[in-house]
Amino acid sequence: MDHAVSEIGMPMALSTWVGDRPQVPEDSVAIGRDVWIGAGAIVLGGISIGEGAVIGAGAVVTRDIEPFGIAVGNPARVVKLRFRSDSERERHSAELDRREQN
């Protein structure tokens, strides 16, 4: 979505760029709290990365990443979860809430 690739008769070098048009929802990236994004990772527009997720260095994120997912590769895929159980994930979120209140 960074360039208007479907403009008929327009060379790519002259096509409409994302910065030259009004913003659309697909331009936004939503990143939850306590997310780690490794060096050189690329996150495409319109993507949501859930709370507590980890994105590996050099990953190319082309779809949403679930909360606490550890995603690597090109395209990035979740290979495991940061915590073993729902109760651990809930305790982690609760501790983050507590820290934010102090």
Side-chain angles (χ1 to χ4, degrees), residues 3 24-26 30 32 36 44-45 49 59 63 67-68 70-71 81-83 88 90 99 102:
H3 295 275
V24 296
E26 292 82 14
W36 183 274
L44 299 183
I49 299 175
R63 66 189 106 160
F68 303 103
I70 299 174
L81 295 177
R82 230 175 115 187
F83 300 105
E88 287 179 324
E90 289 168 8
R99 288 174 175 267
N102 291 335

Side-chain angles (χ1 to χ4, degrees), residues 28-97:
S28 298
V29 173
I31 299 175
R33 67 183 179 166
D34 191 36
V35 169
W36 183 274
I37 299 178
I42 297 170
V43 180
L44 299 183
I47 298 298
S48 177
I49 299 175
E51 175 180 357
V54 176
I55 309 300
V60 179
V61 183
T62 61
R63 66 189 106 160
D64 292 348
I65 303 299
E66 66 183 285
F68 303 103
I70 299 174
V72 298
N74 179 5
R77 63 185 179 85
V78 174
V79 294
K80 66 186 268 186
L81 295 177
R82 230 175 115 187
F83 300 105
R84 294 181 195 162
S85 66
D86 287 340
S87 66
E88 287 179 324
R89 291 186 280 278
E90 289 168 8
R91 283 187 10 233
H92 182 75
S93 290
E95 182 63 21
L96 292 178
D97 291 341

Side-chain angles (χ1 to χ4, degrees), residues 13-35:
L14 302 175
S15 67
T16 303
W17 173 66
V18 65
D20 295 332
R21 63 166 171 72
Q23 192 173 26
V24 296
E26 292 82 14
D27 295 333
S28 298
V29 173
I31 299 175
R33 67 183 179 166
D34 191 36
V35 169

